[in-house]
Amino acid sequence: MGHHSRGIQTVFAAGWLVSAAVGVVAVVQWSARLREAEQRAEQAERSRDEAARRLAVEERLRIARELHDSLTHSISVIKVQAGVAAHLARKNGEQPSEALLAIQAASTEAVRELRATLDVLRRDDDHGSGLDRLPALVESVRSSGLPTTVRVVGPRRPLPPEVEQAAFRVVQEALTNTARHAGPATASVEITYGDRALTVRVEDDGAGSAPGPVPGYGLVGMRERVTALGGRVTAEPLPTRGFRVHAELPLDEAS
């Protein structure tokens, strides 16, 4: 009986060990499947967020195109009417009023800026990398008389097209602002590839930007483009001399 009892106890012990082993394996498999399900859910959520951001950017661009088309037409009419009024005044031997000449000059400049911005918007597409155009932009700026240096920090890697395009527009608008307002100056561009954000910094040492230029359509559009992607941007004069534009564009950890 003793041997029989010990045999039964051994069988029960072996059964408990097998059951425990099976239970451990089941728990491990369940945990793995749970982690996999969580990862799939996170991936789906990221995909939805990316799609929502992309749709928001596309909608903003569509609205911007329509607004620019409409505004360009309206301001062109103002420009023509101001030109006709000035011409008639001179034809009658009168000097056009300063207000009329100011309207004519301002409308001419507004039409030029709107058309330039509209051309940029119409060239926007999802092909290629926006920052691939940075060397050509910097070379163009240098040839126009603004010495410019470029520094890239961190390993460069492919990024979502909307992020690349926004970064390129930040540099473009900042350098355009420098060329218009800073007077004799030099500029520096720094692009930093971080784990969670792409950082763009453009600085100049010009005197013309010391009090801070009046924000133009370009800087406003740049700010809207960055904030549409969940980023932030600052454009402000430096403490002593010059101007700085600093933008942070968030990156998906999976990109």
Side-chain angles (χ1 to χ4, degrees):
M1 288 293 293
H3 291 292
H4 179 69
S5 177
R6 285 195 297 271
I8 292 176
Q9 290 177 356
T10 302
V11 170
F12 277 142
W16 278 110
L17 288 174
V18 171
S19 298
V22 171
V24 169
V25 171
V27 169
V28 170
Q29 289 179 343
W30 178 80
S31 299
R33 289 176 181 172
L34 181 60
R35 284 195 300 269
E36 184 180 351
E38 289 175 347
Q39 290 172 357
R40 285 200 301 267
E42 290 174 0
Q43 179 76 26
E45 187 174 353
R46 283 197 298 267
S47 298
R48 286 194 299 270
D49 290 344
E50 290 173 5
R53 285 197 299 267
R54 185 164 53 252
L55 288 174
V57 171
E58 290 173 355
E59 179 66 8
R60 283 176 176 270
L61 288 175
R62 184 189 65 79
I63 293 172
R65 291 186 184 102
E66 291 180 356
L67 283 173
H68 277 77
D69 284 336
S70 175
L71 287 172
T72 299
H73 173 74
S74 298
I75 296 176
S76 294
V77 172
I78 294 173
K79 173 187 172 183
V80 170
Q81 293 297 325
V84 170
H87 173 73
L88 290 176
R90 294 189 182 98
K91 186 176 180 181
N92 294 331
E94 302 173 359
Q95 182 64 28
S97 68
E98 292 185 4
L100 183 60
L101 294 177
I103 291 172
Q104 187 178 22
S107 60
T108 300
E109 177 65 13
V111 168
R112 188 191 65 78
E113 289 194 7
L114 282 169
R115 284 177 176 166
T117 306
L118 184 58
D119 287 342
V120 168
L121 289 172
R122 284 174 171 161
R123 285 198 302 269
D124 274 339
D125 53 40
D126 292 331
H127 303 296
S129 162
L131 290 176
D132 283 345
R133 292 173 287 174
L134 186 57
L137 171 65
V138 171
E139 184 60 33
S140 173
V141 171
R142 286 172 179 162
S143 64
S144 69
L146 177 63
T148 305
T149 59
V150 179
R151 179 171 178 249
V152 178
V153 180
R156 183 167 182 171
R157 62 188 187 275
L159 300 176
E162 60 270 20
V163 173
E164 294 257 4
Q165 291 170 3
F168 177 81
R169 296 307 176 204
V170 168
V171 176
Q172 185 181 51
E173 294 299 342
L175 291 178
T176 299
N177 186 62
T178 297
R180 287 180 179 173
H181 301 285
T186 61
S188 63
V189 178
E190 183 176 280
I191 309 290
T192 302
Y193 287 80
D195 293 334
R196 296 179 176 271
L198 179 73
T199 303
V200 179
R201 187 175 64 189
V202 183
E203 294 184 359
D204 68 67
D205 58 3
S209 296
V214 177
Y217 292 113
L219 291 178
V220 172
M222 174 187 70
R223 192 183 305 277
E224 291 185 349
R225 183 186 289 268
V226 171
T227 55
L229 296 174
R232 60 179 183 267
V233 60
T234 57
E236 58 190 2
L238 294 171
T240 56
R241 180 186 177 95
F243 198 78
R244 174 194 294 134
V245 173
H246 183 272
E248 289 187 8
L249 293 154
L251 300 176
D252 191 319
E253 290 180 279
S255 28

